[in-house]
Short mmCIF file of all heavy atoms in Angstrom, two decimals:
data_model
loop_
_atom_site.label_atom_id
_atom_site.label_comp_id
_atom_site.label_asym_id
_atom_site.label_seq_id
_atom_site.Cartn_x
_atom_site.Cartn_y
_atom_site.Cartn_z
N GLY A 395 -13.20 -31.40 -5.66
CA GLY A 395 -12.43 -32.63 -5.55
C GLY A 395 -10.95 -32.34 -5.53
O GLY A 395 -10.52 -31.28 -5.04
N LEU A 396 -10.13 -33.25 -6.07
CA LEU A 396 -8.69 -33.07 -6.17
C LEU A 396 -8.33 -32.74 -7.60
O LEU A 396 -8.90 -33.27 -8.56
CB LEU A 396 -7.95 -34.33 -5.72
CG LEU A 396 -7.98 -34.65 -4.23
CD1 LEU A 396 -7.26 -35.97 -3.98
CD2 LEU A 396 -7.33 -33.54 -3.42
N SER A 397 -7.34 -31.87 -7.74
CA SER A 397 -6.87 -31.48 -9.07
C SER A 397 -6.11 -32.62 -9.73
O SER A 397 -5.24 -33.23 -9.12
CB SER A 397 -5.97 -30.25 -8.95
OG SER A 397 -5.27 -30.02 -10.15
N ASP A 398 -6.43 -32.88 -10.99
CA ASP A 398 -5.69 -33.89 -11.75
C ASP A 398 -4.30 -33.39 -12.14
O ASP A 398 -3.38 -34.19 -12.33
CB ASP A 398 -6.46 -34.26 -13.03
CG ASP A 398 -7.76 -34.98 -12.73
OD1 ASP A 398 -7.84 -35.62 -11.66
OD2 ASP A 398 -8.69 -34.89 -13.55
N ASP A 399 -4.15 -32.08 -12.26
CA ASP A 399 -2.88 -31.52 -12.74
C ASP A 399 -1.83 -31.44 -11.64
O ASP A 399 -0.68 -31.84 -11.83
CB ASP A 399 -3.10 -30.13 -13.33
CG ASP A 399 -3.95 -30.18 -14.59
OD1 ASP A 399 -4.24 -31.30 -15.06
OD2 ASP A 399 -4.32 -29.11 -15.10
N ASN A 400 -2.19 -30.90 -10.47
CA ASN A 400 -1.19 -30.70 -9.42
C ASN A 400 -1.53 -31.45 -8.14
O ASN A 400 -0.84 -31.29 -7.13
CB ASN A 400 -1.00 -29.20 -9.12
CG ASN A 400 -2.32 -28.50 -8.87
OD1 ASN A 400 -3.23 -29.08 -8.29
ND2 ASN A 400 -2.43 -27.26 -9.32
N HIS A 401 -2.61 -32.24 -8.15
CA HIS A 401 -2.96 -33.14 -7.04
C HIS A 401 -3.19 -32.39 -5.72
O HIS A 401 -2.94 -32.93 -4.64
CB HIS A 401 -1.88 -34.20 -6.86
CG HIS A 401 -1.55 -34.93 -8.12
ND1 HIS A 401 -2.44 -35.77 -8.77
CD2 HIS A 401 -0.42 -34.92 -8.89
CE1 HIS A 401 -1.89 -36.26 -9.86
NE2 HIS A 401 -0.66 -35.75 -9.97
N LEU A 402 -3.68 -31.16 -5.83
CA LEU A 402 -4.09 -30.38 -4.67
C LEU A 402 -5.60 -30.26 -4.65
O LEU A 402 -6.25 -30.40 -5.70
CB LEU A 402 -3.45 -28.99 -4.71
CG LEU A 402 -1.94 -28.89 -4.54
CD1 LEU A 402 -1.48 -27.46 -4.77
CD2 LEU A 402 -1.52 -29.37 -3.15
N PRO A 403 -6.20 -30.01 -3.49
CA PRO A 403 -7.64 -29.78 -3.46
C PRO A 403 -8.05 -28.65 -4.40
O PRO A 403 -7.38 -27.62 -4.49
CB PRO A 403 -7.91 -29.42 -2.00
CG PRO A 403 -6.81 -30.09 -1.24
CD PRO A 403 -5.61 -30.01 -2.13
N SER A 404 -9.12 -28.86 -5.13
CA SER A 404 -9.60 -27.86 -6.10
C SER A 404 -10.33 -26.74 -5.37
O SER A 404 -11.57 -26.67 -5.38
CB SER A 404 -10.51 -28.54 -7.12
OG SER A 404 -9.83 -29.55 -7.81
N LEU A 405 -9.57 -25.86 -4.77
CA LEU A 405 -10.11 -24.78 -3.96
C LEU A 405 -9.50 -23.45 -4.38
O LEU A 405 -8.57 -23.40 -5.19
CB LEU A 405 -9.81 -25.03 -2.47
CG LEU A 405 -10.40 -26.29 -1.85
CD1 LEU A 405 -9.85 -26.50 -0.44
CD2 LEU A 405 -11.93 -26.23 -1.83
N LEU A 406 -10.04 -22.38 -3.80
CA LEU A 406 -9.49 -21.04 -3.99
C LEU A 406 -8.54 -20.75 -2.84
O LEU A 406 -8.95 -20.72 -1.68
CB LEU A 406 -10.61 -20.00 -4.02
CG LEU A 406 -10.18 -18.53 -4.07
CD1 LEU A 406 -9.56 -18.19 -5.42
CD2 LEU A 406 -11.37 -17.60 -3.79
N TYR A 407 -7.26 -20.52 -3.14
CA TYR A 407 -6.24 -20.19 -2.15
C TYR A 407 -6.00 -18.68 -2.25
O TYR A 407 -5.59 -18.18 -3.31
CB TYR A 407 -4.95 -20.96 -2.43
CG TYR A 407 -5.12 -22.47 -2.46
CD1 TYR A 407 -5.67 -23.12 -3.56
CD2 TYR A 407 -4.72 -23.25 -1.38
CE1 TYR A 407 -5.83 -24.49 -3.59
CE2 TYR A 407 -4.86 -24.63 -1.39
CZ TYR A 407 -5.42 -25.25 -2.50
OH TYR A 407 -5.58 -26.61 -2.53
#
Side-chain angles (χ1 to χ4, degrees):
L396 289 177
S397 167
D398 293 333
D399 294 353
N400 51 36
H401 308 293
L402 292 174
S404 300
L405 298 172
L406 174 70
Y407 302 77

